[in-house]
Amino acid sequence: MSTPPLIEAHNLAVRYPNGELALHNVSFTINSPSFMAIIGPNGSGKSTLVKAALGLIKPAQGSIKVLGYDSVKQVSKIRKLVRYVPQRDRIELAVPMKVKDIVLMGRLLKKLPPRFASSRDTEIAKEALRQVNMESLWNHPFPELSGGQRQRVLVARALAGEGSILVLDEPLAGTDVESQDLIVDALGRYHRENDVSIIMITHDLNPIHTMVQDVLLLKNTVIGIGEPCSIMEPELIKKVYGPTAKIVEHSGHRYCLTRDSGFDRHD
Ligand SMILES: Nc1ncnc2c1ncn2[C@@H]1O[C@H](COP(=O)(O)OP(=O)(O)O)[C@@H](O)[C@H]1O
Ligand SMILES: [Mg+2]
């Protein structure tokens, strides 16, 4: 039996209770396994698409499936498969959690209570931190970290978890270049070495375009889908980012220059 697509949408529309139509006529298929990127400017519906896929928002119309499971009718199946790093994590910084507590959550949250970390859980959590070069801060208070370091810990929490799909919503936003490189490298390595698909939202494709297989370009509907080079076309990019957007080539790679990202890759 062939594997069902990683993610598949048919005529999907999502409307927020205030009437805002965040997505309309969204139809696409991405095969499994993949390291894929969802790109598009702010407000283009990237987070909304992922939330619909995870069953956090109900479609107004159409359907969306993850590995063949329907995001409305089979949410619990999808939750078991997916490790999700939301755009803004709700970790309360007033609570004096340590780095290890955050990463171990990735091991413990899907266990039944009482939840205790085994020595294997600890080993896996430490290895995940090593992947993002944070292992020396195991006992460090999480709230004292820089934005980029916190993001690395949240990525490590996802790496430490289980489930065949990792979904990360803007993991590079608000991070320094060193953290961006560490996160991108860790995700690429993890995808290569494990049977795991990665769905990464970013409003800037540049840091990851050499690593991803599939790109979905959104502006409230699908503007483009394909391998990174086919998306990095001036016509497509201008359609989404406006007439000043440019594609430049350097050392055999295409880079996208937009007012949204420029070369400073932050929000
Ligand atoms: N909770 C919400 N209530 C109402 N409108 C929302 C909500 N979240 C997002 N939107 C709107 O939906 C559109 C898409 O938002 P979003 O999916 O967050 O875009 P992106 O992640 O690409 O920046 C935007 O116009 C945004 O204002
Ligand atoms: Mg978003």
Side-chain angles (χ1 to χ4, degrees), residues 47 87 169-170:
S47 297
Q87 185 160 10
D169 192 344
E170 303 256 13

Side-chain angles (χ1 to χ4, degrees), residues 16 18 20 22 41-48:
Y16 282 101
N18 65 358
E20 170 111 26
N42 286 331
S44 57
K46 304 181 297 294
S47 297
T48 302

Side-chain angles (χ1 to χ4, degrees), residues 12-178:
L12 180 77
V14 178
R15 191 184 286 284
Y16 282 101
N18 65 358
E20 170 111 26
L21 189 61
L23 293 171
H24 60 88
N25 297 95
V26 172
S27 297
F28 68 89
T29 301
I30 303 274
N31 286 324
S32 170
S34 179
F35 186 163
M36 72 166 293
I38 302 175
I39 66 165
N42 286 331
S44 57
K46 304 181 297 294
S47 297
T48 302
L49 178 66
V50 156
K51 286 181 191 161
L54 301 182
L56 299 169
I57 306 180
K58 280 210 170 63
Q61 201 186 323
S63 66
I64 181 159
K65 287 181 181 176
V66 177
L67 285 183
Y69 295 114
D70 185 276
S71 300
V72 174
K73 295 180 201 135
Q74 293 169 295
V75 182
S76 61
K77 296 264 191 205
I78 294 176
R79 296 276 163 82
K80 282 201 187 103
L81 290 175
V82 173
R83 321 175 208 171
Y84 176 42
V85 183
Q87 185 160 10
R88 272 171 215 81
D89 204 286
R90 293 177 303 269
I91 287 174
E92 183 52 72
L93 292 177
V95 179
M97 295 238 264
K98 295 198 167 165
V99 166
K100 63 179 173 189
D101 302 322
I102 305 278
V103 182
L104 281 169
M105 265 189 225
R107 299 292 314 154
L108 301 182
L109 278 181
K110 287 184 184 173
K111 284 191 186 181
L112 294 173
R115 300 185 174 106
F116 295 111
S118 65
S119 57
R120 182 167 174 268
D121 291 329
T122 303
E123 219 173 87
I124 292 173
K126 282 188 173 163
E127 176 54 31
L129 276 173
R130 200 168 299 129
Q131 294 297 319
V132 289
N133 210 9
M134 289 289 288
E135 71 277 18
S136 60
L137 296 175
W138 177 252
N139 267 312
H140 200 83
F142 182 76
E144 287 178 14
L145 302 178
S146 72
Q149 289 176 322
R150 276 187 212 154
Q151 206 58 28
R152 275 148 67 186
V153 172
L154 295 176
V155 169
R157 182 179 65 180
L159 295 179
E162 279 169 16
S164 57
I165 305 174
L166 253 117
V167 177
L168 305 107
D169 192 344
E170 303 256 13
L172 308 181
T175 62
D176 52 286
V177 173
E178 188 201 356

Side-chain angles (χ1 to χ4, degrees), residues 189-226:
R189 207 163 38 241
Y190 195 76
H191 173 66
R192 278 194 306 277
E193 293 174 2
N194 298 276
D195 191 17
V196 168
S197 283
I198 300 182
I199 301 175
M200 177 166 158
I201 294 182
T202 172
H203 67 270
D204 182 6
L205 188 58
N206 295 327
I208 54 163
H209 76 277
T210 56
M211 203 157 292
V212 295
Q213 287 139 43
D214 300 289
V215 180
L216 179 68
L217 177 60
L218 275 187
K219 192 168 180 181
N220 308 105
T221 191
V222 178
I223 305 294
I225 183 166

